[in-house]
Amino acid sequence: AVVSTQSGHYDREIEVEGTCGFELRRYNKGMWVMTEMNLKKGIPGAFTEASDMLEKYMNGDNVESVKMESTKPATVIFIMKDQNTPKTAYLSQYLPLAQHDNPPQPTEGKPLILKKNPELNFYVRSFGGSSSIHQFRREFAMLAAAIKKAGLNAVWSMRFFHEYSDKADEAQRHEVGLMVAPSES
């Protein structure tokens, strides 16, 4: 599959000074394809299975048989049951801009969802090196502590991580994110 990085789907707003190194991003509205991950297989197995489904969709396994460039990052959305236990998870991929107005429909029987997201704001922390569940938990904890220390608020029950790298790449890049809490005004 051809892969392109479409960083045009977000704008970096500010980097928050004096923290563990996180930034505020505004993600533009856009069309995503997503699938629920089968967490009974464990997170690595569920990620692999969901990645395969999205890859097939992007490679033409859709009603219109349209092949699309795969975009980075792959984004996992965790809806949390408690601090360390996901209740459910989705793997999603931003569709190429040319597909936003009329995206190819998933093949019947495939557990894929097309979702048009509104503009959203996130706090994001980037890190390198090899990834593990322990590493992601550590990075989420650091991000949450820095957000609280800065006097900010987030939607704590939803966690996001972005995967930009392939395991074969020497330079790994990962991100963890929390959605900015809606203002109460």
Side-chain angles (χ1 to χ4, degrees):
V2 178
V3 176
S4 67
T5 301
Q6 287 205 359
S7 58
H9 69 281
Y10 73 83
D11 296 314
R12 184 173 164 195
E13 295 290 310
I14 59 166
E15 185 159 344
V16 181
E17 296 289 328
T19 64
C20 70
F22 75 93
E23 62 188 43
L24 172 63
R25 285 193 191 156
R26 180 180 49 81
Y27 283 80
N28 300 320
K29 64 182 178 181
M31 184 63 70
W32 294 75
V33 61
M34 57 196 302
T35 188
E36 187 168 356
M37 294 170 59
N38 182 354
L39 296 177
K40 291 178 183 172
K41 294 186 174 196
I43 292 173
F47 183 86
T48 299
E49 179 183 64
S51 293
D52 289 346
M53 276 191 267
L54 292 182
E55 183 178 345
K56 287 176 183 174
Y57 170 81
M58 298 298 284
N59 285 327
D61 187 6
N62 52 64
V63 172
E64 293 85 354
S65 300
V66 173
K67 291 183 180 182
M68 298 167 275
E69 285 188 57
S70 291
T71 59
K72 295 279 185 178
T75 300
V76 177
I77 305 157
F78 287 111
I79 310 299
M80 302 303 291
K81 188 183 311 183
D82 59 40
Q83 183 71 9
N84 290 314
T85 311
K87 181 168 74 174
T88 190
Y90 295 89
L91 180 63
S92 61
Q93 189 169 353
Y94 190 74
L95 291 183
L97 291 174
Q99 304 300 329
H100 282 214
D101 290 333
N102 189 22
Q105 296 302 302
T107 305
E108 189 172 331
K110 300 286 181 172
L112 297 172
I113 303 161
L114 293 172
K115 181 160 183 359
K116 188 163 197 138
N117 282 343
E119 183 177 285
L120 298 167
N121 293 311
F122 289 87
Y123 302 115
V124 178
R125 174 172 168 69
S126 299
F127 63 100
S130 62
S131 63
S132 67
I133 299 304
H134 174 74
Q135 180 72 18
F136 278 108
R137 284 184 180 148
R138 180 177 171 269
E139 296 296 330
F140 273 118
M142 290 174 63
L143 175 60
I147 290 167
K148 290 174 184 175
K149 184 177 179 180
L152 303 169
N153 198 8
V155 178
W156 305 111
S157 62
M158 290 181 70
R159 296 181 180 181
F160 297 79
F161 79 74
H162 305 294
E163 185 61 56
Y164 285 91
S165 311
D166 186 289
K167 297 272 187 227
D169 293 344
E170 285 187 31
Q172 297 286 305
R173 179 175 166 212
H174 322 282
E175 295 177 342
V176 293
L178 291 163
M179 188 166 36
V180 174
S183 63
E184 295 178 18
S185 55

